[in-house]
C-alpha cells in the first residue's frame, strides 16, 4: 500500500503467506510450475539432441525459425562450412555462412518449412570456402522437417555427406572421353584437308599434259591410301562409340544398384538401451516394432540370442564404439510373419555427457542385403569395364599410328613432287626460248597461263612441305623467349611488305615481356599473323597493327589487331583454319598460314579466338 506523506511516499508491506489464496492466484502458481517443468523437459530434449548431432558419424545441423537460425550442429557440419562450430551456432544460416547466399539452399529449406515435405539432393554443387578461396564442392543431402512432442514443426534437419572427390573423379573420366572425341575430330579434319589438297593437285595436273603421265601413278596410290585411312578411321569411330555406350549402360546399372542401400538411425538411453529416437528407415528395418521408451530386447526379442544386446552392453560399459561390416542378422518380416536373414553394416557409437561418461548409444545401420546379393553383378560389371578400357586403348593406338602415317604421307608427297615440278619449270623455260607460236595472240594467252599454273603448283608443294616441317617441330623444347626481340626480328623480315602497305606496327609487352615457348614455333605464329595483317590491309587507309600480350589465369595471351579488310566471321568461322581456305583472292597465297599456326597452338595445348568484321579489321587472340 502506498500513500503520499508530505513531499515523499509511505509504502507498507503485509505478510500474506498464511492467508487463503484466491482461485486466480492458485491457477497462476500452478501454471508457473507447469511452465518451469516444461522448460526443464525441453532443455533435456535439446541436450540429448545436441549430443546426438555432435556424435553422429555424418554432418547434421538443425535450423529453426523463418531466418533458419542454426540451433544445433556437429563438428562435421562445421567442417563442411569451413568454420569453427562456436562461430556458427545461434546465427542465421546466411549470416553464418554468407557464401551460400544466392545458391538456393535456404530456399529449399524454406520450402520444407512450408510444405513439411523432405527435400534431398544428389551431388548438388555448392561454392564453399576452402583454403581461403571459393571453390566448387558437391554434396548428397536431405532436408527433413523436425517436429516436437506435440507434432508442431520445430525446424529443418540437414543431413549431408560431401562427395566432391567422387564427382571430380567421374568428371575427369568424362574429360578424357572428350579429349578422345576431339582427337577423333582432328583426325577426320586432317583426312578431309589432305583429300582437298589432292583434288587441287589433280586439277593442276590436268592443265599440264606433259606431267599427267608422270603423276598419274602417284595420284592413284594417294587415293588408295586416303581411302584406306578413311575406312580405318570410320571403323575406329564406330568401335569407340559402341564401347562408350556400353560403359554408359554399365555405369547406369551400377548406380541403380547402389542407390537402393538405405540408412537407419536410432538412439538408445541407459544401460537398458531404451529407444529415445528412431527414424523412418530404422522403423521399416525392424518391421514397425520400435517404440519410444521401450528397450531393444523388448521390441526386438530375436536379436537377444544373436549377441547384439551383449555388444550394446560392452559399448555402454567401455565407451568404445563398435563397427560391424556385413553382419548377418535375423529380423522379423511384417509381410511374412517370419524371421528374415539380412546383412547390415552398423556402428554403435557411445553418447557421453559432459563428464565423458556414456549415457546412451547411437545406432547407425545400413541394410547391405542388396549390396551382398549384387556383389557378383558388380564384379561382372567391373570386368566388362576393364575389357572396354582395353579396347579403347587399342583404338587410341590405332588412331595415333594413322595420324603418323598421314603426316609421313604429306612429307613424302611434297618431297617426291618437288623434282618433277622443277623439271617442268626447266622445260617451260626451254620452250619459251626454242619454240615460237604461229599466232602471237595465242602466245600472249597461253604462256602466262602455263607460267601461272606452274607457279601455283610449286607454291602449293612448298606449303605442303611447310605443313610436314611443322609436324616435325611439334616436339621442339621450350625456352624463355623475349617477345620484343622476336617481334623486331619478324618485322625486319617483313620490311618490304610494311613499306608497301604504309604500315605502322605498335607493341605492348609490359604484362609478359618473356614467355616460355618454342622459339621457332612462336616465330612462325608471329610471322604468319603479321604477314596476313600487311597482305590484307585496306588500300583506302594506312595500315595499323598493334601487337600486345596479357595474361588469363596466369597464361600468356598474344593479341594481334589490325584495321584491314576483315571478313564475314559468321559465314567463314567454320572454315577459318582449314587447309587451302582463302577469303580474299586479290593477293597471292594458298591459305596455309592460319592452318599452320592453329596446328602449332593446339599441339601445345592452347587455342585461337578470332573477331573480324568486313571493313573494320581483324583481331587474333592466341592462348599460348
Amino acid at each position: 500500500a502506498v500513500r503520499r506523506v508530505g513531499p515523499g511516499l509511505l509504502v507498507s508491506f503485509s505478510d500474506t503467506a498464511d492467508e487463503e489464496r484466491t482461485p486466480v492466484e492458485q491457477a497462476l502458481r500452478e501454471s508457473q510450475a507447469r511452465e518451469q517443468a516444461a522448460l526443464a523437459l525441453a532443455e533435456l530434449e535439446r541436450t540429448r539432441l545436441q549430443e546426438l548431432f555432435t556424435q553422429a558419424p555424418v554432418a547434421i545441423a538443425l535450423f529453426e525459425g523463418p531466418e533458419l537460425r542454426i540451433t544445433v550442429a556437429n563438428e562435421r557440419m562445421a567442417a563442411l562450412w569451413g568454420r569453427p562450430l562456436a562461430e556458427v551456432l545461434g546465427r542465421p544460416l546466411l549470416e553464418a555462412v554468407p557464401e551460400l547466399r544466392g545458391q538456393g539452399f535456404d530456399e529449399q529449406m524454406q520450402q520444407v518449412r512450408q510444405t513439411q515435405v523432405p527435400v534431398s539432393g544428389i551431388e548438388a554443387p555448392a561454392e564453399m570456402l576452402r583454403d581461403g578461396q571459393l571453390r566448387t564442392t558437391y554434396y548428397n543431402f536431405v532436408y527433413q522437417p523436425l517436429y516436437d512432442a506435440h507434432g508442431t514443426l520445430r525446424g529443418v534437419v540437414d543431413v549431408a555427406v560431401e562427395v566432391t572427390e567422387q564427382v571430380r573423379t567421374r568428371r575427369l573420366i568424362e574429360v578424357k572421353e572428350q579429349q578422345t572425341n576431339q582427337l577423333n575430330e582432328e583426325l577426320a579434319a586432317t583426312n578431309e584437308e589432305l583429300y582437298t589438297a589432292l583434288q587441287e593437285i589433280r586439277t593442276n595436273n590436268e592443265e599440264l599434259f606433259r606431267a599427267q603421265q608422270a603423276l598419274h601413278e602417284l595420284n592413284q596410290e594417294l587415293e588408295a591410301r586416303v581411302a584406306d585411312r578413311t575406312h580405318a578411321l570410320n571403323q575406329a569411330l564406330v568401335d569407340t562409340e559402341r564401347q562408350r555406350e556400353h560403359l554408359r549402360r554399365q555405369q547406369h546399372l551400377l548406380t541403380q544398384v547402389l542407390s537402393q542401400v538405405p540408412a537407419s538411425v536410432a538412439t538408445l538411453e541407459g544401460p537398458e538401451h531404451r529407444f529415445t529416437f528412431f527414424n523412418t528407415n530404422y522403423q521399416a528395418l525392424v518391421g514397425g516394432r520400435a517404440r519410444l521408451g521401450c528397450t531393444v530386447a523388448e521390441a526386438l526379442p530375436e536379436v537377444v540370442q544373436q549377441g547384439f544386446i551383449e555388444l550394446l552392453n560392452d559399448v555402454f560399459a567401455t565407451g568404445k564404439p563398435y563397427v560391424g561390416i556385413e553382419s548377418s542378422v535375423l529380423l522379423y518380416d511384417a509381410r511374412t510373419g517370419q524371421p528374415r536373414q539380412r546383412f547390415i553394416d552398423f556402428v554403435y557409437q557411445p553418447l557421453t555427457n559432459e563428464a565423458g561418461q556414456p549415457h546412451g548409444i547411437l545406432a547407425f545401420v545400413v541394410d547391405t542385403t542388396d549390396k551382398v546379393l549384387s556383389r557378383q553383378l558388380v564384379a561382372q560389371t567391373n570386368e566388362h569395364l576393364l575389357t572396354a578400357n582395353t579396347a579403347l586403348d587399342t583404338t587410341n593406338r590405332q588412331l595415333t599410328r594413322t595420324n603418323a602415317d598421314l603426316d609421313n604421307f604429306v612429307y613424302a608427297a611434297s618431297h617426291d613432287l618437288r623434282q618433277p615440278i622443277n623439271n617442268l619449270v626447266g622445260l617451260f623455260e626451254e620452250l619459251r626460248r626454242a619454240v615460237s607460236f604461229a599466232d602471237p595472240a595465242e602466245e600472249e594467252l597461253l604462256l602466262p597461263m602455263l607460267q601461272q599454273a606452274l607457279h601455283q603448283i610449286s607454291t602449293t608443294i612448298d606449303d605442303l612441305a611447310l605443313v610436314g616441317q611443322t609436324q616435325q617441330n611439334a616436339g621442339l623444347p621450350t625456352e624463355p623467349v623475349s617477345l620484343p626481340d622476336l617481334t623486331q626480328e619478324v618485322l625486319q623480315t617483313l620490311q618490304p611488305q610494311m613499306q608497301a602497305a604504309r604500315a605502322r606496327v605498335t607493341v605492348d609487352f609490359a604484362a609478359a615481356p618473356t614467355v616460355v615457348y618454342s622459339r621457332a614455333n612462336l616465330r612462325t605464329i608471329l610471322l604468319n599473323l603479321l604477314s596476313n595483317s600487311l597482305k590484307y590491309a585496306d588500300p583506302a587507309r594506312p595500315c595499323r597493327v598493334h601487337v600486345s600480350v596479357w595474361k588469363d589465369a596466369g597464361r600468356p595471351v598474344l593479341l594481334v589487331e589490325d584495321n584491314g579488310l576483315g571478313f564475314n566471321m559468321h559465314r567463314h568461322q567454320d572454315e577459318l583454319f582449314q587447309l587451302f581456305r582463302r577469303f580474299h583472292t586479290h593477293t597471292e597465297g594458298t591459305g596455309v598460314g592460319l592452318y599452320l599456326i592453329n596446328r602449332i597452338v593446339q599441339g601445345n595445348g592452347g587455342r585461337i579466338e578470332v573477331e573480324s568484321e568486313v571493313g573494320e579489321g581483324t583481331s587474333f587472340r592466341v592462348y599460348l
Side-chain angles (χ1 to χ4, degrees):
V2 183
R3 63 186 177 87
R4 175 180 289 278
V5 177
L9 295 177
L10 176 62
V11 182
S12 61
F13 299 85
S14 299
D15 186 2
T16 62
D18 298 331
E19 297 178 6
E20 293 184 358
R21 303 298 176 191
T22 65
V24 174
E25 292 176 331
Q26 187 65 28
L28 179 59
R29 290 179 180 272
E30 292 175 355
S31 175
Q32 292 173 342
R34 288 194 301 270
E35 181 179 358
Q36 292 176 354
L39 290 175
L41 179 59
E43 185 61 27
L44 177 60
E45 291 179 355
R46 180 179 295 274
T47 301
R48 290 177 176 175
L49 186 60
Q50 179 65 50
E51 292 172 350
L52 167 63
F53 279 25
T54 301
Q55 302 178 39
V58 295
I60 303 179
L62 173 62
F63 305 87
E64 296 185 22
E67 72 277 19
L68 300 177
R69 190 172 299 278
I70 306 170
T71 57
V72 183
N74 61 3
E75 292 290 347
R76 289 181 172 85
M77 182 61 77
L80 294 185
W81 291 334
R83 291 168 171 80
L85 182 59
E87 181 180 327
V88 299
L89 284 177
R91 300 173 64 186
L93 173 62
L94 297 183
E95 178 182 329
V97 192
E99 59 267 27
L100 290 179
R101 189 179 305 276
Q103 299 190 42
F105 297 99
D106 55 326
E107 298 174 358
Q108 292 178 326
M109 289 188 187
Q110 295 292 0
Q111 176 184 338
V112 174
R113 294 185 70 256
Q114 295 173 4
T115 64
Q116 300 187 14
V117 175
V119 172
S120 62
I122 301 297
E123 297 182 356
E127 298 294 324
M128 302 296 294
L129 281 178
R130 294 292 186 269
D131 298 328
Q133 296 183 351
L134 283 178
R135 302 184 185 276
T136 302
T137 54
Y138 301 87
Y139 303 89
N140 293 345
F141 67 89
V142 175
Y143 293 154
Q144 179 76 33
L146 180 65
Y147 306 90
D148 59 20
H150 302 291
T152 302
L153 180 67
R154 178 175 177 181
V156 178
V157 175
D158 177 13
V159 180
V161 177
E162 183 171 357
V163 293
T164 303
E165 291 303 322
Q166 296 90 317
V167 173
R168 289 176 178 172
T169 300
R170 188 183 69 252
R171 291 187 175 180
L172 180 60
I173 294 175
E174 295 174 353
V175 170
K176 294 298 183 183
E177 291 181 351
Q178 292 176 357
Q179 292 175 349
T180 301
N181 292 339
Q182 184 178 1
L183 177 60
N184 294 339
E185 293 173 356
E186 291 178 357
L187 289 174
T190 300
N191 187 55
E192 179 64 23
E193 292 163 359
L194 290 174
Y195 181 79
T196 302
L198 177 61
Q199 290 299 102
E200 293 187 5
I201 292 174
R202 292 181 62 188
T203 301
N204 291 331
N205 286 341
E206 291 174 356
E207 297 176 359
L208 301 174
F209 177 79
R210 291 182 181 274
Q212 183 175 10
Q213 296 299 324
L215 296 177
H216 180 68
E217 182 178 355
L218 177 60
N219 286 339
Q220 290 182 336
E221 180 183 356
L222 293 178
E223 290 175 351
R225 294 182 64 178
V226 170
D228 290 341
R229 298 300 184 271
T230 302
H231 176 73
L233 179 59
N234 291 336
Q235 186 61 41
L237 291 173
V238 171
D239 293 341
T240 300
E241 183 61 29
R242 185 183 300 112
Q243 295 296 335
R244 188 179 296 110
E245 181 63 26
H246 179 69
L247 286 174
R248 282 197 292 265
R249 290 198 300 268
Q250 294 297 337
Q251 184 178 11
H252 179 67
L253 177 60
L254 184 60
T255 302
Q256 285 184 327
V257 172
L258 296 180
S259 66
Q260 302 302 316
V261 179
S264 306
V265 180
T267 57
L268 311 173
E269 185 71 20
E272 302 88 1
H273 316 304
R274 298 184 181 276
F275 286 105
T276 57
F277 170 81
F278 50 81
N279 63 5
T280 303
N281 289 333
Y282 188 92
Q283 186 70 296
L285 180 67
V286 301
R289 294 175 293 160
R291 298 290 184 272
L292 293 178
C294 181
T295 66
V296 174
E298 294 170 349
L300 313 174
E302 69 271 20
V303 303
V304 176
Q305 298 299 325
Q306 300 180 56
F308 288 93
I309 301 301
E310 296 178 359
L311 291 177
L312 290 171
N313 291 337
D314 185 64
V315 172
F316 189 86
T318 63
K320 297 180 180 179
Y322 181 85
V323 179
I325 303 297
E326 294 185 1
S327 300
S328 176
V329 58
L330 292 175
L331 290 176
Y332 171 78
D333 191 335
R335 294 175 298 179
T336 63
Q338 299 294 327
R340 174 190 173 191
Q341 184 182 27
R342 295 188 181 184
F343 296 92
I344 59 173
D345 291 347
F346 66 95
V347 178
Y348 287 159
Q349 177 74 33
L351 301 175
T352 58
N353 54 25
E354 295 180 356
Q357 298 297 322
H359 67 81
I361 296 175
L362 167 67
F364 192 86
V365 185
V366 177
D367 188 345
T368 60
T369 303
D370 292 338
K371 173 183 174 182
V372 173
L373 297 179
S374 62
R375 181 173 294 135
Q376 183 177 3
L377 176 60
V378 173
Q380 294 174 353
T381 301
N382 289 334
E383 183 178 352
H384 293 326
L385 289 174
L386 179 60
T387 303
N389 287 334
T390 302
L392 283 175
D393 184 63
T394 301
T395 301
N396 287 334
R397 289 198 297 269
Q398 292 174 349
L399 293 176
T400 301
R401 288 196 298 269
T402 299
N403 191 30
D405 290 344
L406 291 175
D407 291 338
N408 292 334
F409 158 69
V410 171
Y411 176 77
S414 62
H415 181 271
D416 294 343
L417 290 176
R418 167 53 58 193
Q419 188 59 41
I421 294 304
N422 290 338
N423 293 339
L424 287 175
V425 172
L427 289 174
F428 177 72
E429 293 298 327
E430 183 63 25
L431 286 174
R432 292 187 62 180
R433 289 192 299 268
V435 177
S436 60
F437 285 81
D439 186 356
E442 183 178 358
E443 179 180 2
E444 293 178 359
L445 175 65
L446 293 180
L447 287 181
M449 291 178 59
L450 287 173
Q451 187 172 9
Q452 182 180 4
L454 285 173
H455 177 72
Q456 182 177 359
I457 193 171
S458 177
T459 303
T460 301
I461 291 175
D462 289 341
D463 288 339
L464 282 176
L466 186 57
V467 171
Q469 181 181 0
T470 300
Q471 287 299 109
Q472 295 178 354
N473 292 341
L476 290 178
T478 60
E479 59 180 297
V481 180
S482 172
L483 284 175
D485 294 345
L486 183 61
T487 304
Q488 185 62 34
E489 175 185 331
V490 171
L491 292 177
Q492 188 66 31
T493 303
L494 297 175
Q495 192 64 32
Q497 292 92 320
M498 292 179 60
Q499 294 178 356
R502 298 175 295 162
R504 181 163 62 96
V505 180
T506 57
V507 298
D508 181 6
F509 300 131
T514 301
V515 297
V516 178
Y517 213 77
S518 166
R519 178 180 177 84
N521 287 337
L522 188 56
R523 186 182 187 279
T524 299
I525 294 172
L526 272 171
L527 181 62
N528 278 279
L529 291 179
L530 290 174
S531 176
N532 281 353
S533 295
L534 299 175
K535 184 186 302 182
Y536 301 116
D538 191 337
R541 57 176 178 266
C543 176
R544 297 292 181 263
V545 183
H546 183 66
V547 185
S548 61
V549 67
W550 49 282
K551 287 192 174 182
D552 181 12
R555 185 170 189 171
V557 181
L558 180 66
L559 178 62
V560 179
E561 304 169 285
D562 63 53
N563 65 340
L565 295 173
F567 57 89
N568 189 331
M569 186 66 185
H570 178 73
R571 177 181 177 184
H572 298 297
Q573 59 181 349
D574 293 335
E575 52 184 336
L576 183 60
F577 297 110
Q578 293 185 17
L579 193 63
F580 303 123
R581 292 295 191 272
R582 302 184 63 207
F583 310 128
H584 297 287
T585 58
H586 66 282
T587 61
E588 292 186 358
T590 59
V592 174
L594 292 183
Y595 169 82
L596 285 177
I597 66 173
N598 188 50
R599 291 293 297 270
I600 292 173
V601 173
Q602 289 187 348
N604 287 275
R607 69 181 191 276
I608 302 177
E609 296 178 356
V610 184
E611 294 181 1
S612 183
E613 292 186 12
V614 176
E616 297 295 331
T618 305
S619 297
F620 284 87
R621 290 188 295 273
V622 183
Y623 291 76
L624 299 175

